[in-house]
Each structure stands twice: as structure tokens, then as C-alpha cells.
Amino acid sequence: MGRYFLRRLLIYIPVGLLVTLLVFTLADLAPGDPADWLYSPELNMTYEEIQAIKESMGLNQSPVVRYVQWLRQTAQGNLGYRMKNGDPVGPLIATRLKRTLVLGGVATAFGIIVGLGLGIYTALHQYSWFDHLSGVLAFLGISMPAFFVGVLGLYIFGLKLQWFPIGGITTPGGDPDDLRDFLYHLILPAALLSSNHVAGYFRYMRMSMLEVLHADYLTTARAKGMRERIVILRHALRNALLPVVTVIGASIPGLFGGAVFIETIFSWPGMGMLFIDGVNARDYPLIMGVTLVMTSVILLANLLTDIAYSLVDPRIRLETRSN
Amino acid sequence: MRGHHPAANQAAPPESAYLSEGLKVSVESPLHRAARRFFRNRPATISLIVLATMALAALAAPLIQRYPPDMIDLDNISAPPTWEHWLGTDMLGRDVWSRVIHGGRVSLSLGLVAALATATIGTFFGLLAGFLRGIVDTLIMRLVDVLMTIPGILVLLILVMYLGPGLGKLLIILPAMGWMGTCRMMRGQVLSVREVDYVLAARCLGFPTWRIIVRQILPNAFAPILVGITMSVGSIILSEAGLSFLGLGVQPPTPSWGNMLQAATVLHVLQEMLWLWLPPGILIVVTVLCVNFLGDGLRDAIDPRMVL
Amino acid sequence: MTAIKSTRRKFLRMAALAGGSLALAACTPAVVERTVVVEKEVEKVVTQVVERTVVVEKEPTPVEQVMVGAFDVGPHGCPQCYDPLKRSVGYWWLTKMWAPLAFWDETGTKAIPELAESWEPTSDDGRVWRITLRPGLKWSDGEPLTMNDLRYQFRLMYNPEYAGERAVTGARYFVGGEAYAKGEADDITGIKVLDDLTIELTYVDPMPILNVSDIYFEFAEHFWSQFTPAEIASGQHYGDARPCCGPFMWSRWVKDQYTEAVANPYYWRGRPKLDKLINRYFDNETTAVLALQRGEIDFTYIGRDVVPSLKRVPGYTVIAGSSGVANFIALNFREPIIQDLRVRQAMIYALDREKIIETLYLGTAQKLNCLFSQAQFNPSDLTDYPYDPEKAKALLAEANFTQEAEWELITYYSDQLSTNVMQAIQKYWADVGIKVRPRTVDVPTFNSFQPIGKDWVVSYIGQSHFRGARDAMGRWANDQRPDALGECKNMHGCYPSIDEVTADLKIATSSLDGAARLEATLNVARTMNAELTDIWMWAAERYGAVNDRVKNFKFAPLPANAGFYDQSELWEIVP
């Protein structure tokens, strides 16, 4: 079995490298380079100045040389520096990733709580007006483009109702480490982002709950004289939750970069804006850094899953051995 | 028989199903059964009608427009709806009603074509992986693993950086984001069917691979592919709107619901020129809703237990 | 069985992913916020200064004098650009903390002395300039500000260890600069400090006008000399609290969010009225406008589309100013049909420029018939080219105009207004038989092919022009782009009279005779107009919006290097 996983790992490494090579090629072949982004077409930079910038950025070397340089640097643990302002890429990604994960995590939590709650309640009170209303609202959440939800939400809750601040993660001039300030800025973008998730969880929970509510074993339990509340909580809910947990798990990848639009509109300095900035500026160390981090995390997670799964299910262990 | 939904009514089998003299057996075909289940689902039926109407309107766009969608009239810019211009005019004096229906053409056809392309690519690679197995299978599946969990928006941005924005490029880029799901599903289908007796028999008899694919595998896979296509149409339309916000979607002057909606990001338009963004916005929401209901309905009609 | 397996598998995969990512997030060391470290250091400096300011400060005003603005939103801005080697715009915010030798006023014609008291050429050939500082200037930490700081800054900027290749391109304007930048000499002979207040600069080419607004006192010698040039180039110290000489001084930089500056008690015009000035960063202009309307910020640059609604909201003032940018349709003479003057004339006659200005710009742009909008650079005998589609069609017929295929009208402007303008151009030209298709590309893509004349026939661009002929050199002189395609090393290719225009531009930028310079500039304008080297459009206004509670506020939406005097030391919050 160990050999099986070793083989898997050995395949993942070239695949990861392949992805970085692919991304690098695309970034390199894209028209324009980091120096071309650096100067506005409305100003006058002389040819010599432009060439000097390109030279000092190392852009005149062949792509192969640059890719190998990047590989070597990365192998030593250094993800390079942004072309735009020399920021080291590694710590930058870490900071931004944390912020995006917080935003995405809270949004998913909102989505789970609200979605599951609504799903359970409406399943229990099927065909009520509340059921229909929730259905419509939930579906609206997934049918509107993300940027539009953001703009509309910011306009209504930020400007018209003035319940929440307009963007940013802390109040300028205040204490950047203030947790309450941070949470205050987090609520609106997270809530708007969660509108996407609510619908999904709502549907699955409701469907799953409905299925379970009509099951035979519940009828038995009721016939035995169990109180309705225990029937629901102990039997129905637990069984209904199983498939929903799978769906929750499936939405975790979205946490990493999926909040691009909300981040842009709320000026939430996270991974989404970082990546867009990198692409716009052809900042290939940044693009590569982000790709590498994402790919590694994903491949690692895959591997861990496979290991965990094989430990949990003995059939897999036997199967892999026979492989 | 596959599991039946506990809540569904059990229809009494038609009389002619009873084996009686003459051994006349008339059984309801799966298609018929599916259609019946589908039409019992009200949201799905309504969605089908709505979508069909929209598609018809889009096709007939040149007939139901009053002015061409790109006719600029600088004397009449930003006019609210009147009898002359049913939905008013935009900032260049173009008729909004006309742009909305032509935009529907673009958005709906983009959704459909991109969805079909996604399905085709996914099916192709899925079949490849499932049939050839070995190193090809491993490579493809690992690639799918990675691509599937990298957030789609990142893949999208990288491709747009390289290819540039525009309607034609979108037809390449959007499928590139979505083919993985179909690929996995197809591969699963191939693997499950591969070892079944009649396929083994076919292979032993020397039937060519393509025939096996067409005769045995595709018909079984057809249903999930169809449902997948309907679901992708919705997400493609939303992606196009999102890309328009970033300036990377369908480029003006070609109208699309996405690039008409993104005008709403300007406060002035959002507050005061509702006729510019409300129609495309509502239509996007309605389309995505209907497409989702349709997909749900199809899935329930064909196989309620399908895991997609 | 298959179904259950895949869901459980998926679940475990995702659980591992979640766990892994949480672990990753948790384990990143106080990776953090360089700001935390920086702030501790800043606190030390600030408390020192605060102790001193207690003595100097006037009566505290009753209202909290803190102004928050979005100073880097808009085309003039460069958010978080504290590395001089990596910025080309973004100077407005910088001037709040580091003052130049002199400012321009909003029209860009009058120099307003700032740190420099006077400057004059001291040789007949205009190559030697002597600049004198005001006496008694101090950095924000109390140390005296002298010309030694400026010399240190020049030496740093042109040091190859710091600026690499860019040292050479920058230094070669000074005598002895190139040798120093290549590492061959220890010092720049053309930069001589005569005493604490006086410096003498010797240029290689005659310099008729000294661009004093381009020279900022950004690097205080007593602070920066503790680091090696390489260390400074690494960028790790640009977040440090360093001495400032502008109205405000560095307080802290909360990365990706805002930069905070506090009043500099040592500013030579006197301590500013505001206590704190904060520059808040926004990814999206709409959010900045919403924040302005909500009252969270006091100022932001706004796009044309927003102006009508903000003008109607009480409590805000919309400030309009000339953008200093001329918009025009550049022509690529490498396309044979463009070389026919009648075709070019048809192109300009076909456009109803006045109508576009009236409807799309709501009358706030100035029609141009050459590159310059300033009255003094517009000779009186320029042809106006009014809207005349019939004449255009006639000219095209005369010239036997044909197109092999539709042309692309390239631009890098992505705002709604410019998109609309492009479509209006498309329509007007289609009316007379010229087919174009608008295409917007991003800046890197644009810069990769348009300046060398590759793959385009017409493109809608903007060019800063408020400095006159100097701004025209880059795109109209013959030798500026050695990498351009074809014979003439110019974006346009070989346009008629290119050599005459090049000669005129050289005179206009280097002759010491003011009258000769003016005449040469007027000649350039005449050629641009008669030969239609480009299809001239307009110089538009750009806008900023400020909350009325801020008094004495000035804003000029000039691009990049235009340091203009905005009297920020007088800005005051009066509710």
C-alpha cells in the first residue's frame, strides 16, 4: 500500500510542475510584459528608459532561463518578488490567503447555518407560504451575477440603510488589529457572498430531509410512541445531514479564490484582487506563486484524502494491494 | 428496478401490460415515462415554456425590433421609456429594447454553444481515459483533479490574459473551465459499463471500439450529459456577466445581457437609469432560474437518484 | 455502491482539504503584518515628534482635523507606490510628504517656488543651472535639510547598485553622469554642491527650462545613508517611518488599506491645519464614490459618468480641471491608404466632434485641432475641420478609397465614456464608408505593439500635452523608438514632414531663445493641423469630488509628473 501512495505522489509532482509550466507559458506568451504595464501610455518614457526597466527586471533573458531560475528559487523556499513593487510573494500570499479564507469561511458558515436552518424548517412545514417564499429568495441568490449582488448589497445596506461600512477591512485611522472593527467590516461582504451558498444547502437539506421524513423507520418510531421532537432530532436529522455534509465539503475549494467580485467591490484585500492584479500586470512571479500554492495545497489534500480513505475503508486497502 | 421515490405515487400499470392471450405486452417506454414525470413537475414545465419563449424571441430578434441595436442617435441619449423607445435609450441613444433582444441572442447562444462544447470536450476525454486506462487515464485524471479544484476564476483569468477578451475567445475559454465534470462522469460511465457481460461479449467478438461506445455507453450516459448541459448554461451566462464586470466579456458594441448589466456599477445608472440595467438583470435571473429548474426537472424525470 | 464510494471519497478529500488549509492558515507565522513591526518603530518617532510639537502647536481646534481621501484612485494615482524605481505616476500623494523644488499652478504655466527659493542658468549655453534653497529648512525629525540631501539622492538614483540599468538612462543627462552610472567614476562631476543651500547642475544638452517640479527631496541623507544602496533597492525599507519635508509626515502604512500621515510641524509654510491626512486605497472607483457619499471619505477622483448625480447631492463640490491630456486618433502611415491626405481629411470631416463633446462629454471638453489645447501654442491660422460628411464622402471618392478589411480601432481606455466614444466614431465613419471595429486591450498588450507601429491602423489614445513641445517629442520625433517598424523610427511611421517636425521639436525643447522655441512649437502645431498627422479630437476635463466640510481644498487632475500646488497645508475641516 505504501508503494501505491508513493506512486501517486510521484505522479502528482510532475503534474504540479506541468501546471506551473503551462501557466508560465501562457503568461509569457501573453502580449506585453511586466515592464509594459509599468508605464502609462499617456506619458513619455523614452525607449532607453523602457529598455532599462526591462533589463533590470530580467525580462530580456530567455523564458527557459527565467522559468528555471524560478524553479530553483522556489526549491529553496523563496517564491520570488512581485515585479510591481518588489514585495516578497510568499508572505504576501499568506496574508492575502488568510483574509480570503476568513471571508469565504464566514460566508460558508452563514450559508450553512441559514441554508440548513431554512431547509429543515421548510421541510417540516412543506407547502407553507414560508416554504415558497424561502425557495424563491434562495434561488434568487444563485441566479444573480456575483458582482451585481455585491453592488446592490453595498448600495442598499451601506449607503441607503447605512448599516455597514463601505468596504475595507478596518476603519482608516483606527487600530488595524481591532477585532470588533474587523468583524463589523466583515459582515456585509460575507453575507452577500453567502447568498450563493444558501441556495445550494437549502435545496439539498430540504430534499434530503423530505426523503427521510417519509421513511419507514420514522413511521415505526412514531408508532412506538416516540415524541415527535425526538423523532425528528435523533433520527430524521442525522440521516438527512449525511449527504449534505458531502455537499458542504464540495464547496470548500471555492473558498480559495472564489470571492473575486465581492473582494473587488468591497476593496477586501484578498487573493482574488491579488491574482487579478498579477494577471493585469503580467506579474509572472506572482501568478506562478499563487498557482503553485493552490496546486500544492490541492494535491496534498487529495493525497491525504486517499490515505485517510484507505484507512477508513478496508476494502480499498485490499483493492489497492491487489492492484 | 431502480429505487422509486417514496413520496411518488405509484401509477397503476396499464392494462395491456398484463400478460394475456396473444402475449401482447405493451410497456411504457422509458422516454414516455420520463416525459410524464417531467410534465408533472410544474416549475420545470413552466421553465421550459419560458425558455422556449425567450429562445423564440431571440431567434426572431430582427423581426420584433423597432430600431437596429447599434443605431446611434446622439440627439436622444439616456432617454427613459416612451412609446417611441419601449425601454428607453442608452448613453449613445441606442434603443434598449432592441439591444435586450439582441443581447438575448448573444447570451443564450453563447450559453448553449459553450455548454455543448464543454460537454463534447468532457465526453471525449472521459471516453479516452475510461477506455485506454493506464498512463493516459492517470494523467488525464490527475489533470482533472488539479484543474477542478483550482478556482475556475483563476483559470479563466489566465486564459483571458493570454487570448484577450471577446465573444469568440469566450467560446474557447468557458468550456476550458467546465469540461472536467463531464469528463469524470463519462469516465465513470465507461468504467462501470466496460466490464458488463454484453460489452465483454462485444469486445470478444471484435466489435470496433467506436461501435461499443455509440451503442452501449453513450445511451446510458446521455441523461446525465443532458442534465449537465442545462446546468452549465446557467453558470455560463453568469460567468459572462462576471467577466463583463471585469471588462473581459463580450465587447461592446455587441450587446449581451452581461455587458448591459455591468453599467449598473456606476452609481448614477444604478439609482436613476433603471431602464438600462433592470431588463437585462431580470432576464439573466429568470434564465438562470428556469435553466436550473429545467435541469432539476430533467434529472428527477429520468432518474431521481442520480448523483450529479 | 459506486455512488456511496464516490461521495464518501469526495467528503474525505474535502475534509482533508479543509483541514490542510486551516492548518496552513494557522501555521503561517506571525507572517503578518510588517505593519505591526513598522508601527512599533513609528510610534517611537511619532512620540518624539509629538513631544516637540506640544511646544510648537497652536490652540487645538474644536473639530477633529482628520481628512480621509482616495488620493490614488484615477489615472494619476499609483496606490502604494513607495519605490521610486517602480513608479511612473502617483506623485500627488507623494507631494504631501516630500516636497519638490517648485510646484506648478493648475494651468501648468506658472512655477510656484516650494523648497527652492530661486533657480537660474549661470552659463551662456544654458547647460549650467544654479538652484538656491530657502534658508532654515528642516526635515520632519528636526534635522536641517540641505543640498547635501539632494546630492545624496542623485548619487543614489544613479548608482548602479541601486538602479541597475536605469541608472544609466537617468544619469546621462548630467555631465559625468554616465561614467558614474556605469561604475567608472566615484562621483558625478556635473552635480556640485557649492554650499548647504546651493547646488550647481551641469547638463550635457542645453536646458532652456529647468523642470524643478520633477525634483523631489525624497531621501534624507542622515536617514538613508545607514543602508547600502542594494539594501534600499530591495524595497524592505520603504515602509519605514522616514524623514519627510512636505506638509505632512509619515505616520504608518497599513498595507493594502491606507497610509496615514500626520502634520509636519517643521514644514516651511507652517504646520498644516489638518492633524492627520489619510490616503485610503480602493480597488474599485464605485466603492470610493459610495464611501464619499456615505461620509467615510472626504475626497475622491470621479469618472465623468458619476458627475451628474454627485452635482445634485448637497454637501459635495465637484471640481473640474483640465486633464492635460489630448485625445486623438493616432494614424499609422505604414498603411498605404493613410498616406493620402484626402483620406485623412475625410476622416476628420466625417466626425461630428462638437456633437460628441456636447452629448457624451456634456460640453466639458475642448475641441482640438492640433496636439495642444493651450491658447499660446495654437497659431491663429489653424484649419478647423467642421463636421461635413458630404465633403468626406467626396474626398474618399476622389482618393479611390478602399479597405481590404475592417480596421481595428485600438484603445487602452476601458471606461464607459471612452467605450461610447469609440462606438460613436465607428458610426460616423461607417456613415461615410470607413469601416472600423473598436477593440479595447489592456495596457501591457497595448504597449507591446502599438508604439512600434505593429498590427494597427488607427488607435484612440491620449497624450499629456501641457508641457508643450516636450510632450510631443516621444511620438512625433523621428528617432525616439529605434525598435519601431519601418524606416522612420516613430509610432506613426513616416508621416509627411516628419523631418521638419523633428527639427522643430528639437529647437522647441533645446533652444535658449524663448521666441525661437515658441515659433518652433507653433510650426509643429501648424504641421500637425495641415498634414493631419493624427485625427485631433479634444482635451477633456477630469473630475474630483470633495466634501464641503473641507475648506481651501484644491485639486488639479493633471497626470503623473505634474506636481501642482494644492495648498494642502491650508486644508481645514469646518463642519
Side-chain angles (χ1 to χ4, degrees):
Chain A
M1 195 196 67
R3 233 176 356 139
Y4 175 69
F5 287 108
L6 204 62
R7 243 189 317 146
R8 289 287 283 267
L9 188 69
L10 286 179
I11 302 255
Y12 279 147
I13 293 179
V15 168
L17 284 179
L18 187 71
V19 171
T20 59
L21 186 62
L22 204 72
V23 169
F24 181 82
T25 316
L26 283 178
D28 202 61
L29 289 177
D33 58 29
D36 287 324
W37 174 86
L38 213 51
Y39 63 96
S40 158
E42 281 171 7
L43 301 176
N44 289 302
M45 271 228 182
T46 64
Y47 174 72
E48 284 85 16
E49 280 171 349
I50 299 171
Q51 288 309 110
I53 297 176
K54 292 195 195 228
E55 184 66 41
S56 48
M57 281 179 161
L59 296 171
N60 288 334
Q61 304 164 295
S62 88
V64 178
V65 169
R66 281 184 281 133
Y67 182 66
V68 170
Q69 245 175 23
W70 179 83
L71 273 182
R72 209 178 325 147
Q73 230 178 15
T74 310
Q76 293 168 351
N78 178 7
L79 279 174
Y81 302 90
R82 263 177 106 167
M83 292 273 170
K84 173 178 166 184
N85 53 15
D87 261 353
V89 171
L92 182 64
I93 292 183
T95 322
R96 297 270 193 146
L97 193 60
K98 259 199 294 200
R99 291 200 193 114
T100 296
L101 285 176
V102 166
L103 181 63
V106 172
T108 312
F110 267 11
I112 293 175
I113 295 172
V114 174
L116 292 190
L118 271 182
I120 296 172
Y121 186 80
T122 56
L124 292 175
H125 299 86
Q126 218 181 353
Y127 305 126
S128 67
W129 65 268
F130 189 76
D131 182 17
H132 291 305
L133 182 66
S134 319
V136 171
L137 284 179
F139 277 104
L140 269 185
I142 43 168
S143 307
M144 288 202 281
F147 78 87
F148 190 64
V149 172
V151 171
L152 209 57
L154 190 57
Y155 176 71
I156 295 176
F157 295 103
L159 186 62
K160 285 293 167 197
L161 293 173
Q162 303 219 343
W163 285 354
F164 297 104
I166 311 270
I169 54 179
T170 57
T171 311
D175 177 9
D177 294 319
D178 185 356
L179 190 63
R180 276 184 57 193
D181 194 26
F182 179 71
L183 287 177
Y184 181 50
H185 281 83
L186 176 62
I187 299 179
L188 187 58
L192 292 174
L193 190 57
S194 73
S195 63
N196 230 346
H197 302 278
V198 166
Y201 299 140
F202 168 70
R203 274 167 70 196
Y204 281 110
M205 189 68 219
R206 187 169 178 278
M207 206 158 61
S208 177
M209 193 73 181
L210 281 175
E211 239 182 69
V212 159
L213 277 177
H214 291 99
D216 293 340
Y217 56 89
L218 279 198
T219 322
T220 316
R222 287 196 192 100
K224 279 205 305 186
M226 265 193 177
R227 273 184 300 160
E228 187 68 15
R229 189 141 58 102
I230 303 208
V231 168
I232 296 185
L233 282 178
R234 201 186 297 173
H235 297 295
L237 202 56
R238 232 196 268 162
N239 285 304
L241 273 175
L242 265 170
V244 181
V245 169
T246 319
V247 174
I248 292 178
S251 64
I252 292 191
L255 290 183
F256 282 87
V260 165
F261 300 107
I262 298 280
E263 281 183 15
T264 312
I265 291 169
F266 282 83
S267 284
W268 186 272
M271 284 297 279
M273 272 322 295
L274 188 65
F275 197 71
I276 291 185
D277 276 349
V279 166
N280 279 342
R282 309 281 191 270
D283 205 332
Y284 72 86
L286 182 59
I287 300 175
M288 305 287 285
V290 171
T291 314
L292 187 68
V293 167
M294 296 282 187
T295 315
S296 315
V297 172
I298 288 155
L299 291 179
L300 195 66
N302 276 349
L303 201 61
L304 287 175
T305 315
D306 287 342
I307 294 180
Y309 189 63
S310 79
L311 289 175
V312 160
D313 190 344
R315 290 171 294 192
I316 305 302
R317 244 182 286 155
L318 293 171
E319 200 181 281
T320 59
R321 201 176 289 165
S322 72
N323 259 358
Chain B
M1 191 160 94
R2 295 277 187 94
H4 57 271
H5 200 287
N9 291 329
Q10 289 281 333
E15 282 173 296
S16 46
Y18 290 116
L19 290 176
S20 54
E21 71 266 345
L23 289 166
K24 196 159 53 132
V25 180
S26 163
V27 180
E28 197 181 38
S29 80
L31 186 65
H32 206 172
R33 206 183 320 142
R36 197 158 47 85
R37 268 204 285 233
F38 180 83
F39 287 112
R40 252 189 302 177
N41 183 342
R42 236 183 346 162
T45 320
I46 297 181
S47 302
L48 185 63
I49 298 176
V50 170
L51 285 174
T53 317
M54 284 205 277
L56 218 67
L59 277 174
L63 300 173
I64 49 178
Q65 74 189 28
R66 292 187 71 183
Y67 302 89
D70 47 8
M71 191 183 83
I72 296 181
D73 179 8
L74 289 178
D75 288 314
N76 192 16
I77 59 174
S78 302
T82 59
W83 273 124
E84 272 302 305
H85 293 276
W86 295 339
L87 285 177
T89 62
D90 70 0
M91 286 177 273
L92 278 171
R94 295 178 295 206
D95 181 36
V96 175
W97 161 249
S98 164
R99 283 183 78 73
V100 163
I101 46 179
H102 280 266
R105 257 192 172 185
V106 172
S107 297
L108 290 175
S109 58
L110 175 69
L112 201 59
V113 173
L116 285 172
T118 313
T120 314
I121 299 177
T123 310
F124 174 71
F125 279 108
L127 288 173
L128 211 67
F131 252 101
L132 297 182
R133 304 229 71 194
I135 192 90
V136 174
D137 179 26
T138 321
L139 270 179
I140 293 183
M141 286 326 286
R142 292 306 135 231
L143 191 66
V144 163
D145 271 347
V146 172
L147 287 180
M148 202 150 173
T149 15
I150 292 185
I153 194 89
L154 301 193
V155 177
L156 207 104
L157 284 175
I158 293 184
L159 286 174
V160 171
M161 161 182 73
Y162 171 60
L163 290 170
L167 181 53
K169 319 277 178 49
L170 279 182
L171 285 173
I172 304 175
I173 294 173
L174 288 171
M177 274 168 58
W179 64 272
M180 291 86 72
T182 321
C183 175
R184 257 208 196 142
M185 190 270 304
M186 204 59 211
R187 176 180 177 270
Q189 284 284 327
V190 172
L191 288 182
S192 65
V193 164
R194 205 168 198 272
E195 310 294 331
V196 168
D197 292 348
Y198 53 88
V199 172
L200 279 175
R203 282 160 68 194
C204 286
L205 288 172
F207 279 5
T209 322
W210 68 265
R211 198 155 156 202
I212 303 180
I213 295 176
V214 171
R215 281 293 188 77
Q216 264 96 39
I217 299 183
L218 278 184
N220 279 319
F222 177 70
I225 292 182
L226 185 65
V227 177
I229 291 179
T230 49
M231 300 300 215
S232 348
V233 171
S235 78
I236 286 172
I237 292 184
L238 288 177
S239 300
E240 193 268 319
L243 282 176
S244 294
F245 170 69
L246 295 174
L248 305 171
V250 175
Q251 302 283 295
T254 313
S256 87
W257 289 342
N259 70 24
M260 290 172 77
L261 182 61
Q262 70 91 24
T265 47
V266 176
L267 201 58
H268 176 56
V269 173
L270 185 71
Q271 277 181 301
E272 291 166 41
M273 294 171 63
L274 275 83
W275 64 89
L276 280 186
W277 58 268
L278 212 49
I282 293 180
L283 284 169
I284 290 182
V285 170
V286 166
T287 308
V288 175
L289 269 177
C290 286
V291 146
N292 277 332
F293 282 137
L294 187 69
D296 270 351
L298 276 176
R299 189 184 57 205
D300 285 343
I302 297 172
D303 178 10
R305 278 286 170 113
M306 196 189 310
V307 176
L308 251 191
Chain C
M1 164 71 173
T2 322
I4 302 175
K5 180 176 168 180
S6 63
T7 56
R8 203 195 293 188
R9 184 191 181 77
K10 266 192 215 153
F11 165 64
L12 282 172
R13 184 198 311 269
M14 294 315 153
L17 190 58
S21 58
L22 283 172
L24 177 77
C27 293
T28 47
V31 124
V32 230
E33 321 295 350
R34 240 197 250 174
T35 55
V36 175
V37 177
V38 169
E39 278 175 58
K40 300 274 191 295
E41 296 177 82
V42 167
E43 274 172 39
K44 272 189 287 187
V45 174
V46 171
T47 40
Q48 284 170 1
V49 174
V50 167
E51 277 157 18
R52 285 185 214 174
T53 55
V54 168
V55 177
V56 176
E57 210 175 0
K58 300 188 287 230
E59 296 277 341
T61 42
V63 178
E64 206 196 2
Q65 295 289 328
V66 175
M67 176 180 175
V68 184
F71 297 101
D72 277 313
V73 170
H76 64 267
C78 188
Q80 311 192 83
C81 287
Y82 292 118
D83 183 348
L85 290 177
K86 298 216 164 64
R87 71 168 89 105
S88 63
V89 292
Y91 287 91
W92 185 32
W93 171 246
L94 289 178
T95 60
K96 300 288 138 287
M97 293 186 282
W98 294 286
L101 289 176
F103 282 121
W104 293 107
D105 68 346
E106 303 96 70
T107 64
T109 49
K110 206 161 74 91
I112 300 175
E114 177 71 1
L115 295 184
E117 202 172 49
S118 65
W119 55 94
E120 73 226 332
T122 54
S123 74
D124 286 332
D125 58 1
R127 289 168 55 238
V128 185
W129 281 82
R130 189 173 298 184
I131 310 173
T132 315
L133 274 185
R134 290 172 198 285
L137 291 174
K138 287 202 165 69
W139 289 98
S140 57
D141 55 1
E143 295 296 318
L145 189 154
T146 68
M147 278 305 188
N148 290 312
D149 292 306
L150 188 60
R151 179 179 54 186
Y152 171 78
Q153 184 170 304
F154 276 130
R155 281 185 185 152
L156 181 65
M157 290 295 141
Y158 304 142
N159 187 328
E161 273 172 43
Y162 173 74
E165 295 295 315
R166 300 190 65 177
V168 177
T169 54
R172 65 157 61 111
Y173 294 103
F174 293 105
V175 166
E178 194 159 341
Y180 174 78
K182 290 194 173 141
E184 295 157 11
D186 277 338
D187 199 1
I188 310 169
T189 50
I191 297 178
K192 264 202 302 248
V193 171
L194 302 178
D195 59 52
D196 274 357
L197 297 181
T198 328
I199 199 170
E200 200 173 74
L201 303 172
T202 311
Y203 288 91
V204 169
D205 292 321
M207 190 70 79
I209 303 177
L210 190 64
N211 294 302
V212 280
S213 70
D214 283 352
I215 305 177
Y216 293 78
F217 274 72
E218 200 175 338
F219 286 85
E221 184 173 13
H222 64 276
F223 177 83
W224 289 96
S225 49
Q226 60 180 303
F227 308 115
T228 67
E231 269 182 321
I232 304 178
S234 72
Q236 41 180 290
H237 296 289
Y238 290 127
D240 293 357
R242 39 216 166 109
C244 300
C245 54
F248 297 89
M249 53 185 255
W250 185 280
S251 169
R252 62 181 169 162
W253 175 18
V254 181
K255 278 238 173 131
D256 298 329
Q257 295 183 57
Y258 58 90
T259 301
E260 190 182 88
V262 293
N264 179 5
Y266 291 102
Y267 184 53
W268 71 275
R269 287 184 202 258
R271 185 195 184 280
K273 297 213 167 109
L274 288 176
D275 293 324
K276 243 195 232 187
L277 185 63
I278 296 179
N279 180 11
R280 187 172 155 185
Y281 304 118
F282 287 93
D283 290 319
N284 183 338
E285 199 182 290
T286 307
T287 317
V289 175
L290 282 170
L292 179 74
Q293 286 200 257
R294 170 78 186 266
E296 278 184 17
I297 63 175
D298 293 306
F299 165 81
T300 176
Y301 170 92
I302 56 178
R304 177 114 221 15
D305 334 340
V306 183
V307 172
S309 54
L310 263 184
K311 274 202 167 140
R312 276 199 294 267
V313 176
Y316 294 97
T317 307
V318 173
I319 306 174
S322 170
S323 59
V325 171
N327 286 119
F328 53 92
I329 303 176
L331 300 174
N332 191 348
F333 286 76
R334 295 170 182 87
E335 171 75 26
I337 199 77
I338 297 281
Q339 291 163 14
D340 189 333
L341 178 63
R342 292 169 296 192
V343 171
R344 304 199 296 279
Q345 286 174 336
M347 285 164 111
I348 198 170
Y349 277 118
L351 296 174
D352 193 350
R353 295 173 290 162
E354 267 147 24
K355 186 61 153 282
I356 297 180
I357 292 176
E358 187 195 312
T359 54
L360 295 180
Y361 282 90
L362 292 181
T364 60
Q366 177 192 345
K367 186 168 97 166
L368 292 178
N369 281 309
C370 66
L371 177 65
F372 311 109
S373 66
Q374 301 93 323
Q376 71 266 32
F377 294 139
N378 270 268
S380 47
D381 53 349
L382 288 186
T383 321
D384 188 41
Y385 300 109
Y387 177 52
D388 194 341
E390 295 311 314
K391 186 162 184 184
K393 284 190 213 165
L395 284 166
L396 287 177
E398 223 182 277
N400 287 324
F401 175 77
T402 50
Q403 270 175 294
E404 264 175 32
E406 203 179 41
W407 292 336
E408 279 184 339
L409 179 62
I410 313 271
T411 190
Y412 53 87
Y413 287 118
S414 55
D415 61 298
Q416 186 67 46
L417 175 60
S418 302
T419 313
N420 288 344
V421 165
M422 301 267 284
Q423 289 165 63
I425 295 174
Q426 180 188 34
K427 171 224 171 188
Y428 280 119
W429 277 355
D431 283 345
V432 301
I434 306 175
K435 294 199 198 36
V436 296
R437 190 181 69 232
R439 180 173 156 220
T440 307
V441 296
D442 62 12
V443 170
T445 311
F446 183 86
N447 280 334
S448 73
F449 71 93
Q450 199 266 6
I452 56 176
K454 177 176 170 200
D455 291 338
W456 62 277
V457 180
V458 283
S459 74
Y460 176 70
I461 62 181
Q463 165 79 53
S464 74
H465 70 285
F466 68 95
R467 293 198 209 194
R470 244 194 82 191
D471 285 330
M473 277 294 270
R475 285 184 161 134
W476 283 268
N478 195 353
D479 50 2
Q480 297 292 305
R481 291 295 307 229
D483 55 340
L485 303 180
E487 267 179 33
C488 299
K489 296 303 167 188
N490 181 287
M491 168 187 85
H492 300 84
C494 293
Y495 64 86
S497 318
I498 188 172
D499 293 318
E500 286 90 337
V501 170
T502 307
D504 276 327
L505 284 174
K506 292 247 157 69
I507 298 175
T509 52
S510 59
S511 162
L512 296 171
D513 177 357
R517 288 203 304 271
L518 184 59
E519 189 55 34
T521 309
L522 291 176
N523 276 337
V524 170
R526 285 191 191 101
T527 313
M528 284 175 167
N529 173 270
E531 291 288 0
L532 287 178
T533 60
D534 306 87
I535 309 296
W536 307 107
M537 305 292 266
W538 45 71
E541 286 182 345
R542 286 185 177 158
Y543 307 89
V546 66
N547 190 323
D548 282 341
R549 73 179 195 142
V550 181
K551 305 291 173 219
N552 302 325
F553 185 81
K554 260 198 189 175
F555 166 63
L558 296 170
N561 285 333
F564 63 92
Y565 177 58
D566 59 8
Q567 57 184 41
S568 53
E569 74 281 358
L570 297 176
W571 296 352
E572 190 177 359
I573 303 206
V574 176

